[in-house]
Amino acid sequence: MRKKRIMIIGPGGSGKTSLAHAINGFTGPARRTQNMVYGEKTLDVPGVYLESPWMHKHIIAAAQDASHVLMLVDQSSCRESYPPGFAKAFRVPVIGVITGSGEKPEHDGWCIRQLKKAGVREPYYHINLPERTGLHELMEALK
């Protein structure tokens, strides 16, 4: 039986790799990834997989190795990234994560609407990795 990991998806620049490093306990610098990266506890999916509709099937197939799917939206960037109902394609719990929390609080409503449109149910977790806020609550939800 394969080890189940936490799959992290989101648009480019939303903090996927930084979040994967935080979950895995890695303290080195985050670099852009062009391929799926299997960490000790995570599966980091490059943003280009989400941004290219013909790659969505690869995300869904890779989710077979997932215990949870984290769908990220970046509070500092209002980009529509997920197709409507995309979260319903997964057979594991899907958790909505708003990254960069506190950077542009006026965009919070937009982020929540984006997650709801994608089919992600509440609660949504607001995290800010440089300030290390919200990470503990997210980790508790993943247990």
Side-chain angles (χ1 to χ4, degrees):
M1 181 175 200
R2 289 189 270 198
K3 180 180 178 181
K4 298 288 185 179
R5 290 175 169 81
I6 301 161
M7 177 182 263
I8 304 172
I9 61 175
S14 63
K16 297 177 301 297
T17 302
S18 297
L19 180 57
H21 285 348
I23 292 171
N24 289 319
F26 182 69
T27 57
R31 295 179 300 197
R32 289 203 179 271
T33 55
Q34 295 190 2
N35 295 310
M36 289 190 195
V37 177
Y38 285 78
E40 185 178 329
K41 299 176 186 174
T42 60
L43 172 55
D44 184 5
V45 179
V48 70
Y49 279 50
L50 182 61
E51 293 161 4
S52 302
W54 58 275
M55 294 292 284
H56 291 175
K57 62 185 172 193
H58 298 289
I59 297 173
I60 295 165
Q64 293 179 42
D65 292 333
S67 63
H68 294 79
V69 173
L70 301 182
M71 291 179 68
L72 276 57
V73 291
D74 184 8
Q75 193 179 67
S76 65
S77 170
C78 289
R79 278 189 304 177
E80 192 153 328
S81 304
Y82 299 104
F86 189 60
K88 295 178 180 166
F90 303 105
R91 294 184 169 200
V92 296
V94 178
I95 298 174
V97 178
I98 299 171
T99 59
S101 183
E103 291 180 19
K104 292 196 177 178
E106 64 273 16
H107 293 165
D108 197 51
W110 183 90
C111 293
I112 290 170
R113 284 190 302 277
Q114 173 77 2
L115 289 169
K116 283 184 179 181
K117 184 178 176 183
V120 182
R121 294 185 182 162
E122 294 186 49
Y124 305 126
Y125 294 87
H126 292 74
I127 64 169
N128 188 314
L129 289 173
E131 296 176 8
R132 307 290 293 178
T133 57
L135 190 58
H136 177 72
E137 292 82 2
L138 177 61
M139 296 305 294
E140 286 297 315
L142 292 170
K143 289 185 179 177

